[in-house]
Amino acid sequence: MRVESGNGVIELVLGDITKQAVDGIVNAANAALAGGGGVDGAIHRAGGPSILEECRAIGGCPTGQTVITGAGRLPAKHVLHTVGPVWHGGGHGEADLLASCYKTALELARDNGLKSLAFASISTGIYGYPVTQAAAIAIREIAAFLAGNDHPSLVRMALFDQHTYDAYAAALSAQEQ
Ligand code: AR6
């Protein structure tokens, strides 16, 4: 699915983020930037040890914030590591923190001159954020950013399974109306 939005395009693809040949991919990291399972593990495995070395040098990242490294052997040029909230029922600031992940990643991409950016579905795996709610926040934040900025002009969600893809497709269709 591909939709024009503000000064750019929002794209949804069903697939592996480590295969995306874009200027930046956004990893669902943890606050220690220590690597882990899920998409984080896949990115470090495919990209090689230089990404973890750069993460160690940075030291950590608070929830809702984003840092940038190189991308090692990946086809992307950079990895942006954002730290999503763990879902604790929705009453602990989770929505604002998740919105901040998308906003800070997009701003960091812009400030580094990136033209294309691909996100994984932040917080909806191990961190347990309900995907319908997470998708609505992600699409809202991306559309707001594209309305006010020239680049990155291509923002892609790389979604790993059909259920997740369908949730983002529904959120993007709702945003269009
Ligand atoms: N490409 C795209 N999406 C993927 C891939 C992939 N290769 N692999 C998994 N996903 P998760 P979180 C999807 O658990 O919930 C790690 O241990 C996955 O199906 O990776 O933010 C970190 O170190 C799901 O839809 O991230 C943290 O400790 C989405 O990516 C913690 O997990 C996010 O799932 C972060 O948990």
Side-chain angles (χ1 to χ4, degrees):
M1 187 173 180
R2 184 181 165 93
V3 168
E4 288 185 17
S5 177
N7 300 314
V9 168
I10 303 176
E11 223 173 59
L12 309 183
V13 300
L14 186 60
D16 185 343
I17 201 167
T18 67
K19 305 275 199 292
Q20 307 296 316
V22 285
D23 290 344
I25 61 172
V26 185
N27 181 22
N30 53 65
L33 300 177
V39 68
D40 198 6
I43 286 172
H44 285 290
R45 269 195 307 279
S50 66
I51 302 174
L52 199 55
E53 282 164 24
E54 286 187 62
C55 284
R56 287 212 182 96
I58 294 167
C61 178
T63 302
Q65 299 295 308
T66 307
V67 300
I68 187 168
T69 67
R73 297 191 293 257
L74 294 171
K77 295 183 187 137
H78 299 274
V79 179
L80 290 82
H81 306 263
T82 198
V83 182
V86 178
W87 179 256
H88 290 297
H92 295 80
E94 292 95 329
D96 288 345
L97 288 166
L98 187 63
S100 175
C101 287
Y102 285 92
K103 188 164 186 281
T104 57
L106 287 158
E107 288 171 352
L108 191 58
R110 176 196 64 201
D111 296 347
N112 281 274
L114 309 194
K115 303 282 193 289
S116 54
L117 188 66
F119 282 90
S121 176
I122 308 302
S123 280
T124 66
I126 293 163
Y127 281 180
Y129 208 116
V131 67
T132 304
Q133 294 172 54
I137 290 168
I139 296 296
R140 184 193 75 207
E141 289 303 316
I142 294 167
F145 181 86
L146 290 175
N149 294 274
D150 287 334
H151 68 274
S153 55
L154 171 64
V155 181
R156 180 180 297 162
M157 295 294 316
L159 304 162
F160 209 44
D161 60 83
Q162 190 67 50
H163 172 70
T164 304
Y165 182 96
D166 291 346
Y168 281 79
L172 187 52
S173 300
Q175 179 79 28
E176 274 191 289
Q177 279 146 27

